[in-house]
Amino acid sequence: DGGITQSPKYLFRKEGQNVTLSCEQNLNHDAMYWYRQDPGQGLRLIYYSQIVNDFQKGDIAEGYSVSREKKESFPLTVTSAQKNPTAFYLCASRTGTGASSNQPQHFGDGTRLSIL
Amino acid sequence: AQKITQTQPGMFVQEKEAVTLDCTYDTSDPSYGLFWYKQPSSGEMIFLIYQGSYDQQNATEGRYSLNFQKARKSANLVISASQLGDSAMYFCAMRERSGGYNKLIFGAGTRLAVHP
């Protein structure tokens, strides 16, 4: 089945530790996105990428890093610089790269990150 | 400035009745797209319906329809014949063009509870 796979489903981070959230898609989508969702709130954009080896900061990129070495993979690293990482993280992808494209984003099932 | 406003934190509806979830938006771009997503308690984001700024007719998708009033900058979601499984968070989002890139801006969401 085609889709977006996020792993792990739950992740715990110790103080001062970097952790990496995985996002893989087999939809052959060009654009990929990472969002953060805090309880009872909407989604905020962390990073996005429209093509391999290119990515852009979203609204809340501080304390996070990404890479896009392969079309199907867009891992997110939550660094120790992110002082409040506890949240629900969602990865999304979309076909097409045009700025005017109105293709919907499709989402993975998310990763819940907590601090130990 | 908030670009997507969902004024209803929570809504209740009786099973089999229709419900309208409000969404207003703000943009100066003549070309934009509006999306509605459903988020059940499990966390995944499910794409429901899309409306383009140049679309002449209101979008419909099964029991979902979009009441698009361009002059008022509103894009309300109408769910007909509510079912218990419709209980979830609902998010309105707008496609924003930024420096040749394409990203979504989300509202804060409306929690819908369907009662038997």
Side-chain angles (χ1 to χ4, degrees):
Chain A
D1 282 357
I4 302 169
T5 302
Q6 289 188 242
S7 62
K9 194 173 180 69
Y10 299 93
L11 186 58
F12 299 91
R13 195 193 88 169
K14 295 180 181 179
E15 293 284 345
Q17 187 182 45
N18 292 355
V19 291
T20 297
L21 283 59
S22 171
C23 178
E24 303 277 333
Q25 54 98 0
N26 60 5
L27 300 168
N28 199 33
H29 284 176
D30 298 291
M32 297 187 74
Y33 303 80
W34 273 107
Y35 294 90
R36 169 180 172 140
Q37 186 179 29
D38 292 286
Q41 298 187 28
L43 279 64
R44 292 185 290 166
L45 183 63
I46 305 172
Y47 268 99
Y48 56 107
S49 166
Q50 291 204 158
I51 56 173
V52 173
N53 293 322
D54 175 75
F55 48 83
Q56 302 296 314
K57 292 183 179 180
D59 302 316
I60 55 165
E62 187 174 348
Y64 300 97
S65 66
V66 294
S67 63
R68 187 88 187 275
E69 297 177 1
K70 298 184 297 182
K71 185 176 184 178
E72 59 269 23
S73 178
F74 192 40
L76 173 74
T77 296
V78 184
T79 75
S80 57
Q82 173 50 246
K83 297 306 179 187
N84 183 23
T86 297
F88 186 52
Y89 291 86
L90 284 158
C91 177
S93 71
R94 178 181 60 82
T95 190
T97 57
S100 299
S101 171
N102 283 320
Q103 292 296 319
Q105 291 183 18
H106 296 275
F107 287 79
D109 289 344
T111 293
R112 294 190 185 277
L113 175 62
S114 301
I115 287 194
L116 284 178
Chain B
Q2 189 139 3
K3 295 188 176 183
I4 292 284
T5 304
Q6 295 182 253
T7 57
Q8 307 153 314
M11 290 283 286
F12 296 91
V13 66
Q14 202 77 22
E15 194 178 8
K16 299 179 184 176
E17 290 185 350
V19 62
T20 297
L21 306 183
D22 295 341
C23 174
T24 58
Y25 59 92
D26 183 29
T27 182
S28 57
D29 190 341
S31 174
Y32 55 89
L34 296 156
F35 301 80
W36 276 92
Y37 284 86
K38 172 184 178 180
Q39 187 179 42
S41 57
S42 51
E44 73 272 26
M45 295 284 284
I46 302 166
F47 166 67
L48 296 177
I49 195 167
Y50 157 78
Q51 179 84 44
S53 59
Y54 294 120
D55 292 344
Q56 297 295 313
Q57 293 189 319
N58 287 344
T60 60
E61 195 69 50
R63 293 186 300 111
Y64 304 108
S65 61
L66 218 151
N67 183 2
F68 182 48
Q69 298 186 46
K70 195 169 181 178
R72 299 178 66 178
K73 293 189 174 181
S74 74
N76 300 337
L77 177 70
V78 180
I79 306 175
S80 63
S82 297
Q83 302 172 357
L84 296 178
D86 293 334
S87 295
M89 283 289 290
Y90 288 82
F91 292 95
C92 179
M94 180 175 67
R95 188 266 293 145
E96 180 178 73
R97 297 187 294 187
S98 175
Y101 294 91
N102 178 315
K103 55 183 181 177
L104 287 181
I105 308 297
F106 283 83
T110 296
R111 183 172 298 279
L112 176 66
V114 180
H115 291 182

